[in-house]
Amino acid sequence: MKRLKHIGKAMKFAVLAAAIAGLAQTAGVADAASLHIAKEGDTFFLLAQRYGVSVDELAKANPNIAANNIYAGLEIKVPDEKSVEAASDSKPQLLTEKATANEKPTIEAWGKTFNYSKVVDVKATAYSAAADENGKWGAVDYYGNPLKLGTIAVDPKVIPMGTKVLVTGYSHPGLPDHSFVAVARDQGSAITGKRIDIFIPGNKSFVNDFGFQDVKLYVIDK
């Protein structure tokens, strides 16, 4: 009898251990689902827009990762799994075009609604911080500020400097999925007419994969 009781306790222990192991495995799956494996060109700003979280939340969730040292293969924790799912399905969507003269149409992207005054179809290219792409002035915009994601070079006769736009219709892993907000902060001798040049962080070959693309700009009201 004692031996039978001992076997019974052992079986209970095995069942309990299996249950604990199952919970641990489930927890591991949930944790893995909240990890982003970095690729070249990723930044906290880019990932924040992609996953619908703030840059500050990403930084707090990854205290051992320096914002300027994100490299391919690095595991980055995304703080809110639900936000990840919502952001991955997010696409810029035209909501309403008001019929009244006093009301302007709106567009929604990344959970925000923007009023816009007009839509401009342009041909887009991309540039990096490489020295041979920025001339004697170096990796700065027209105003002398360091180049950053969200900077575009424009022909000021078509898009005035300082104009804020929602850029849509492109495809490149160094940019947020579907859309991003940009400001006309730069110019270039080759950028004339309905042309823009988009700054993308990363090395020259990675950025040049952008090629030539037709994109749509929604000019956002300030």
Side-chain angles (χ1 to χ4, degrees), residues 21-39:
L23 289 173
Q25 185 176 6
T26 303
V29 171
D31 186 59
S34 66
L35 289 178
H36 172 87
I37 306 302
K39 57 184 180 297

Side-chain angles (χ1 to χ4, degrees), residues 1-47:
M1 283 296 284
K2 287 183 179 180
R3 188 171 181 275
L4 290 175
K5 286 183 180 179
H6 177 73
I7 292 173
K9 289 179 180 178
M11 290 179 65
K12 289 179 181 178
F13 179 78
V15 171
L16 180 60
I20 293 172
L23 289 173
Q25 185 176 6
T26 303
V29 171
D31 186 59
S34 66
L35 289 178
H36 172 87
I37 306 302
K39 57 184 180 297
E40 187 173 4
D42 277 350
T43 65
F44 276 160
F45 176 78
L46 174 64
L47 296 177

Side-chain angles (χ1 to χ4, degrees), residues 152-156 159-161 184-188 191 193 195-197:
I152 57 172
V154 300
D155 180 345
I159 301 173
M161 295 294 286
R185 299 190 184 99
D186 211 356
Q187 299 179 27
I191 309 304
R195 278 283 315 278
I196 66 168
D197 210 10

